[in-house]
Amino acid sequence: MAESIQSDLVVVANRLPVHRSSPTAQWETSPGGLVSALMPILREHTGIWIGWAGTAEPATEPFLHDGLSAVPVPISTEEVRDYYEGFSNSTLWPLYHDACQTPQFHRHWWRSYVAVNRRFAEMAARHAADHARVLVQDYHLQLVPGMLREMRPDLRIGFFLHIPFPPQELFAQLPWRQRILEGLLGADVVGFQTKVGAQNFVRLVNRFTPHRGVGHAITVDGRHVEAREFPISIDVDRIESLAADPAIAAKAREIREEVGGGRTVLLGVDRLDYTKGIDNRLRAFSELLASGRHDVDDIVLIQISVPSRESVDEYVEIRNRVEKLVGQINGEFGEVGASPVHYLRRNLPLDELVAHYLAADVMLVTPIRDGMNLVAKEYCASRLDDSGALVLSEFTGAAAELDRAILVNPHDVDGMAAAFEQAIVMPKAERTRRMRSLRQRIRRRTVYDWATDFLGAVDQAAPLATGGPR
Ligand code: GDG
C-alpha cells in the first residue's frame, strides 16, 4: 500500500486494532467493542486506522487487513517506558481515576508524551484527505487534536476519552494541565463517557485557559467546540447470540458443576488493575463468610483477572495483594475439595467469558472508579431469561444508566458485604424485574449507536478553514 494513501475517515488510537505474535506471523483482529463498532464504518468509508502495533519492533509499512488500512506508528523501547508506561499509565491513568494510586509527575515522561503525540498527529495529517474526519481515541493522545488542527485546519476532529475526566481538585495537580486542555480543544467535538466528565472539562477550561465554555459549548478563538457525553456500550447482538448458543449454555452448566452444583455463584471479571476494586471486593466476600450467614458449601466466587500492564510497579503490587487475599480466604474458609474463591489469572476467549456470565447468579462489578465498565453491560446482555443480579459500583460510568443494579460504594466493605447478601437472597420476581429493565436499557443504545452519534456530531461541526498548510 502506498505511503501516501489518504482517506476521508481516519481513526487515531494508541493501539492498532490488529496484533500478531511475531514479526513474521499473520496479523489478527484484536477483540473488543471499540474495534467492532468502528470497523463497519471504516470499511464503508475505506477508512484508515493509525496506531502502535504493541511491540517495540520497527514499524512496518501501512498494510491492508480485512478491508481496513492499518498505519503502524513506531514507538521505541524508551518511549514505551516514558510515554506509555510512564506518562500515560503512571501519571494520567491514576490521576484520572481519583488518584487512587499516587500519580507520578516526571518531566522526561511528559517530553516523551509530547514527542509521541506529535508523531501520531503527523501521521494523521499525512493520511487524512481534504476535509476528512479524524477520530482520536483516549488519554494517550490528548495533545493530538491541537497539534493536528495546527497542521491541518481543514479537518473535522473528534476526540473521545474512554476513562473518567477528573474534577478540578485532581486535574489541577497536573503541571501540564493547560497544555492538555489546549490539546483537547483542538477537536471540534470532545466526547466523554458521562455528563459529569463533560462538565468537569468545561469547568477546567474556564478556570485554566482564556477560552469560555457554557453548557456544552466552548468558544476557542471564534471556533465552536462541543464537549458532551457519548456513553459507550457493547455489541448487544453479538453477546446475545453467544448467550443463545447451546454449546455455550452447556459450557456454563459444566462450570457450575465444576464449582459445586448447588452453590450460588458470584463472578468478577476485570483487567488486573488497581482501579477495579478487586481487593475490596475480596474483603467484602471474606466478611460475608466470616459473618456466618454463608459458608463454602453454599457460595463460591469465581474471579477472572486478565493480566495487564505487568511492567508497571503498581500492577505487580495489586496482583500480589489480590493473590494474598485469595490465599487467605481459601485458607480460612475452604475445605478439602471446596474453595470459596476460584481465581483465574488469564485471558479467556469471548465465548468462554460469556459461558461464565451465564454460569453466574451474581455479577460483582466494584471499581473504585471506571469510565464506563463494559463487563457490567455484557453480563446483563447475556441474561436472556432475565435471571441474575448485578452489584455495581456507584463510581462507574455504567451506574448512570444501570440504576436498577444494586449500587454500592466500593470503599465501604461492610456495605458491599450487605449488597452481596441482598443479591444472593433477592426474591426471584425482583431479580427478574430488575434484570429485564437493565437489559432493555442496554438494548436501547448499543456500541453502534455510540459510533453513529459520535461521528454524527463530528460531521455537524462546521469546517472553519478551506484547505490549510500541508
Ligand atoms: C476502558 C475503560 C471503558 C475482559 N476479559 C476478557 C475480555 N474482556 C473484555 C470484556 C470487556 C473489556 O474486555 C473490558 O472493558 P471494561 O469496560 O470492563 O474495562 P477497561 O479494559 O478498563 O476499558 C472502561 C472501556 O475502556 C470502553 O470505553 O468502559 O471504563 O477503563 O469488553 O469483555 N475479553 C476476552 N477475554 C477475556 O478474558 N475475550
Side-chain angles (χ1 to χ4, degrees):
M1 186 169 56
E3 246 295 276
S4 59
I5 186 168
Q6 292 203 322
S7 169
D8 66 4
L9 184 62
V10 178
V11 171
V12 188
N14 177 55
R15 293 293 290 266
L16 281 175
V18 293
H19 63 276
R20 60 179 178 183
S21 50
S22 75
T24 50
Q26 292 290 320
W27 291 103
E28 288 174 50
T29 305
S30 309
L34 179 70
V35 176
S36 45
L38 291 175
M39 283 299 242
I41 301 180
L42 283 166
R43 280 199 202 98
E44 191 187 321
H45 297 266
T46 23
I48 291 178
W49 190 307
I50 294 173
W52 175 42
T55 58
E57 65 181 82
T60 52
E61 290 295 299
F63 60 93
L64 264 174
H65 174 83
D66 197 13
L68 168 93
S69 304
V71 177
V73 178
I75 297 187
S76 69
T77 308
E78 294 72 40
E79 287 168 341
V80 171
R81 190 189 60 212
D82 295 344
Y83 146 79
Y84 180 68
E85 291 164 2
F87 200 78
S88 297
N89 287 325
S90 303
T91 305
L92 295 171
W93 180 268
L95 183 68
Y96 283 26
H97 287 89
D98 280 5
C100 64
Q101 289 282 323
T102 308
Q104 297 177 47
F105 303 119
H106 297 297
R107 283 167 289 187
H108 65 287
W109 286 0
W110 164 253
R111 284 195 288 275
S112 180
Y113 186 79
V114 175
V116 173
N117 271 247
R118 187 166 302 285
R119 191 172 312 140
F120 275 84
E122 281 163 357
M123 286 283 197
R126 186 180 316 155
H127 291 282
D130 282 347
H131 303 286
R133 282 105 18 111
V134 180
L135 307 180
V136 183
Q137 306 294 315
D138 228 357
Y139 62 103
H140 319 85
L141 301 176
Q142 294 173 100
L143 302 177
V144 168
M147 292 170 167
L148 189 53
R149 179 155 306 279
E150 279 192 8
M151 297 172 198
R152 293 285 308 274
D154 61 303
L155 300 176
R156 270 173 289 184
I157 305 171
F159 177 90
F160 184 76
L161 186 70
H162 289 260
I163 66 174
F165 195 80
Q168 182 170 315
E169 297 71 35
L170 294 174
F171 190 81
Q173 291 180 18
L174 194 62
W176 309 278
R177 59 199 182 192
Q178 189 177 352
R179 297 278 301 277
I180 297 274
L181 294 169
E182 295 280 4
L184 292 169
L185 287 171
D188 296 292
V189 179
V190 188
F192 300 90
Q193 299 278 26
T194 63
K195 208 186 187 93
V196 173
Q199 287 168 342
N200 287 345
F201 177 66
V202 176
R203 253 181 234 135
L204 280 154
V205 166
N206 284 325
R207 173 86 175 73
F208 292 116
T209 77
H211 314 298
R212 285 296 150 257
V214 178
H216 296 306
I218 304 169
T219 309
V220 180
D221 306 328
R223 189 168 56 84
H224 172 84
V225 176
E226 187 174 347
R228 76 174 170 88
E229 70 277 17
F230 296 86
I232 203 163
S233 192
I234 56 168
D235 184 347
V236 176
D237 288 342
R238 172 132 177 79
I239 298 290
E240 285 187 350
S241 75
L242 286 170
D245 180 338
I248 293 179
K251 175 74 190 163
R253 282 192 297 275
E254 225 175 82
I255 294 168
R256 286 192 69 95
E257 279 314 307
E258 275 161 10
V259 295
R263 295 159 91 190
T264 298
V265 178
L266 294 85
L267 175 68
V269 175
D270 323 74
R271 270 186 314 98
L272 192 35
D273 192 303
Y274 52 80
T275 61
K276 300 290 183 183
I278 307 168
D279 41 357
N280 270 5
R281 179 187 313 160
L282 288 166
R283 287 191 190 98
F285 183 68
S286 173
E287 295 280 316
L288 193 59
L289 290 166
S291 73
R293 285 196 295 272
H294 296 282
D295 62 27
V296 68
D297 294 328
D298 74 305
I299 59 173
V300 59
L301 168 62
I302 304 175
Q303 174 61 47
I304 300 171
S305 296
V306 181
S308 183
R309 305 175 193 166
E310 290 176 307
S311 39
V312 175
D313 288 350
E314 287 74 12
Y315 287 76
V316 176
E317 281 163 27
I318 182 64
R319 175 180 166 187
N320 290 340
R321 207 151 59 234
V322 163
E323 294 184 353
K324 190 169 168 204
L325 280 162
V326 169
Q328 281 170 352
I329 297 169
N330 283 342
E332 196 166 338
F333 302 105
E335 300 289 343
V336 173
S339 300
V341 184
H342 290 245
Y343 172 72
L344 308 181
R345 191 178 60 83
R346 73 196 62 153
N347 228 300
L348 297 180
L350 186 61
D351 53 352
E352 266 191 55
L353 192 60
V354 173
H356 281 84
Y357 291 150
L358 291 181
D361 301 293
V362 179
M363 183 79 213
L364 306 179
V365 179
T366 60
I368 299 300
R369 180 61 74 185
D370 212 334
M372 177 54 63
N373 196 288
L374 300 180
V375 165
K377 292 187 172 182
E378 289 167 359
Y379 174 72
C380 297
S382 75
R383 308 301 298 193
L384 300 178
D385 59 358
D386 294 326
S387 64
L390 173 65
V391 175
L392 180 62
S393 161
E394 291 166 25
F395 304 129
T396 60
E401 297 171 78
L402 305 183
D403 54 0
R404 297 306 306 276
I406 300 172
L407 295 178
V408 291
N409 171 359
H411 299 279
D412 173 6
V413 173
D414 286 340
M416 278 207 290
F420 296 1
E421 169 72 2
Q422 184 191 347
I424 292 166
V425 301
M426 185 179 282
K428 188 164 181 270
E430 186 184 346
R431 277 175 183 243
T432 306
R433 257 198 320 276
R434 285 180 181 248
M435 188 52 75
R436 185 177 301 139
S437 146
L438 290 168
R439 283 188 54 216
Q440 279 167 356
R441 190 74 197 250
I442 291 164
R443 286 212 112 269
R444 274 212 296 273
R445 239 190 86 81
T446 71
V447 74
Y448 296 97
D449 299 306
W450 169 82
T452 311
D453 289 356
F454 184 53
L455 192 59
V458 174
D459 280 341
Q460 277 169 19
L464 248 196
T466 47
R470 300 295 293 275

